[in-house]
Amino acid sequence: MTKLQPVRGTQDLIGDDSRRHAHVVATARRISALYGCAEWATPIFEATAVFSRNLGETSDVVTKEMYTFEDRGGDSLTLRPEGTAGICRALVSNGLTQTLPQKIFYTGPMFRYERPQKGRYRQFHQIGLEIIGAAEPLADAEAIACGWQILRELGITESITLNINTLGDRESRDAYRTALVAYLSRYEAELSTDSRIRLVKNPLRILDSKDATDIKLLAEAPLIYEYLNTTSAAFYDGLKTTLSSLGIVYFENPRIVRGFDYYNHTAFEFLTTELGAQSAVLAGGRYDGLVEQMGGPPTPGVGWGAGIERLAMLLAQTPAAPRAVAVIPMDDAAHATAVAILDRLRSAGIAADLAYRGNLKRRLERANKIDAGAALLIGADELARRTVTLKNLDDGSQREVAIADLIAQLR
């Protein structure tokens, strides 16, 4: 019989991996709530048009990486490759465009068919934040600040830097696009195959190229800062001023454009030196036209997504699992009392475990295996006195405790 293994690019989250994952999510959930975010959960698959129409027909995700299939009804569906498009679809579908701004936190699995490598999987998990309905640069700064606080609470900021850029408004981008095309057209024959396609369809995406020749050619390319109109320049200045007032250090990087076509104005990435080529751990930007593309009214928005796997890899330590109390009946007569005490402990919020079978030795071995901090021994003498023997499994000391006082003693 063939031994079944996880599909390439997927993984099982068990033990330490599961605890690291849960710690990242719990931290992000707690911090985003401080910023007024409500948690949303959207389906893991959507109509294909939600992504193909809105992420950009030339994006790598749409052209190479989406898991798209036809269901039995003949509809084209796609496993979500990112979170923002689904959130904006949900905003419109649920009639929430009249109750803005909306601050949203989400978490869950995403799917992209790409080459698995360190910190990157075909099924991966994200946390994300969206602020929809706020057109001011303060919203961009607040989104970035929330991301920074999450990274700080995780204790991983020592190796992380914030890079920011502006893509300007449509007028600014059109002017820059013309200048960039004029420059790159002189070197079209030297560009990578992908960049030659993008030169016609979306030249700004060439700035995001990882091809060595493209990067070399871009060294002398014009910068968008030279083509910002008054409105775009003021927006970018407002973002930088607010970040400085928040004490957030940033570096300007004119090559950041992000991977999807819906971005405008702000683009940013938190980068690390600890994960090799996969340096971005939290990234996003502004997307003022996306809700309108979903069929809603013109609505500004800004947000980010972060890969949980990458963040978990940066944690200095695996969060410790809560240490349980092992309840151990010494004989069959003590079993009913042990079960009642087990339930009482759990109801009081104290982790507790009772081995299903075995003598005293085996039950103590089980307690050590699960790294219990204490054991409650219940025998005939304890039953007669309505007590338990509380054994400290770290130092071996033990004492008798009245069942009535047990919760207070354990706490």
Side-chain angles (χ1 to χ4, degrees):
M1 180 181 292
T2 302
K3 185 177 181 180
L4 296 178
Q5 297 292 336
V7 175
R8 185 169 185 256
T10 67
Q11 62 170 341
D12 300 312
L13 292 172
I14 298 171
D16 286 356
D17 290 336
S18 179
R19 284 196 293 275
R20 284 173 174 262
H21 183 106
H23 178 63
V24 170
V25 173
T27 301
R29 182 176 282 128
R30 174 172 57 85
I31 298 303
S32 64
L34 300 179
Y35 285 75
C37 293
E39 185 166 351
W40 289 16
T42 61
I44 64 170
F45 58 88
E46 300 267 5
T48 298
V50 169
F51 305 113
S52 63
R53 190 175 65 196
N54 299 298
L55 305 190
E57 296 292 346
T58 63
S59 71
D60 286 347
V61 169
V62 172
T63 59
K64 303 175 183 178
E65 299 171 3
M66 293 204 313
Y67 281 94
T68 297
F69 59 97
E70 188 173 289
D71 70 4
R72 294 183 180 183
D75 295 322
S76 180
L77 305 176
T78 296
L79 298 179
R80 62 185 182 195
E82 59 90 54
T84 302
I87 292 293
C88 289
R89 192 275 309 150
L91 182 89
V92 175
S93 299
N94 290 279
L96 297 174
T97 57
Q98 302 302 313
T99 55
L100 300 175
Q102 293 277 350
K103 293 182 176 182
I104 303 140
F105 169 78
Y106 66 85
T107 183
M110 311 291 165
F111 306 85
R112 296 184 192 176
Y113 187 88
E114 53 186 345
R115 184 171 64 87
Q117 50 191 301
K118 185 177 182 180
R120 174 171 285 182
Y121 298 89
R122 290 177 176 174
Q123 177 181 310
F124 59 101
H125 300 80
Q126 278 193 341
I127 52 172
L129 175 144
E130 314 292 349
I131 301 176
I132 303 178
E136 297 77 11
L138 173 60
D140 304 51
E142 190 173 50
I144 291 172
C146 182
W148 176 249
Q149 188 170 348
I150 290 170
L151 299 177
R152 190 173 64 214
E153 290 288 318
L154 290 172
I156 60 176
T157 53
E158 185 173 335
S159 67
I160 290 177
T161 57
L162 169 63
N163 282 214
I164 67 170
N165 189 30
T166 179
L167 305 175
D169 60 13
R170 180 174 296 277
E171 180 182 75
S172 299
R173 281 199 312 284
D174 287 347
Y176 179 53
R177 183 183 188 279
T178 299
L180 186 63
V181 169
Y183 169 80
L184 291 174
S185 293
R186 306 204 304 263
Y187 307 99
E188 183 173 359
E190 301 174 52
L191 291 172
S192 66
T193 301
D194 284 346
S195 290
R196 286 197 297 273
I197 294 172
R198 289 169 177 164
L199 186 60
V200 176
K201 294 186 175 182
N202 189 353
L204 266 66
R205 286 292 322 285
I206 299 175
L207 297 174
D208 195 39
S209 173
K210 303 301 186 290
D211 181 85
T213 301
D214 291 349
I215 292 172
K216 184 176 180 180
L217 293 173
L218 288 168
E220 301 298 325
L223 301 178
I224 193 168
Y225 307 136
E226 305 163 25
Y227 300 90
L228 295 177
N229 58 24
T230 301
T231 300
S232 295
F235 191 99
Y236 191 43
D237 287 342
L239 170 65
K240 292 186 288 184
T241 298
T242 306
L243 289 176
S244 295
S245 69
L246 292 170
I248 297 176
V249 177
Y250 61 85
F251 299 89
E252 294 184 78
N253 183 346
R255 305 303 180 204
I256 292 179
V257 294
R258 304 299 301 133
F260 301 132
D261 292 354
Y262 53 58
Y263 286 111
N264 64 299
H265 285 301
T266 305
F268 62 90
E269 295 180 347
F270 285 95
L271 305 175
T272 180
T273 57
E274 299 295 317
L275 297 177
Q278 302 308 311
S279 58
V281 295
L282 187 154
R286 177 163 283 276
Y287 48 87
D288 288 348
L290 184 55
V291 173
E292 187 175 4
Q293 291 178 34
M294 295 288 180
T299 306
V302 62
W304 52 257
I308 296 174
E309 285 82 358
R310 296 185 196 178
L311 295 176
M313 290 171 67
L314 294 174
L315 296 178
Q317 295 180 330
T318 299
R323 301 187 72 188
V325 174
V327 181
I328 301 177
M330 307 281 282
D331 51 41
D332 290 344
H335 182 78
T337 299
V339 170
I341 289 175
L342 183 74
D343 180 66
R344 184 178 173 189
L345 294 180
R346 290 170 174 168
S347 297
I350 297 173
D353 187 72
L354 189 152
Y356 295 122
R357 66 179 68 90
N359 56 24
L360 175 61
K361 180 181 177 181
R362 289 195 173 183
R363 289 178 189 263
L364 283 172
E365 288 174 350
R366 164 70 180 172
N368 287 323
K369 185 176 181 179
I370 66 172
D371 193 31
L376 303 181
L377 307 179
I378 311 167
D381 291 342
E382 285 83 4
L383 285 176
R385 293 192 292 268
R386 296 298 298 166
T387 64
V388 299
T389 296
L390 173 58
K391 184 178 180 66
N392 186 316
L393 295 180
D394 291 329
D395 61 20
S397 63
Q398 62 185 46
R399 57 195 172 91
E400 199 165 352
V401 177
I403 292 176
D405 299 331
L406 183 57
I407 301 300
Q409 291 294 319
L410 287 172
R411 283 178 172 162

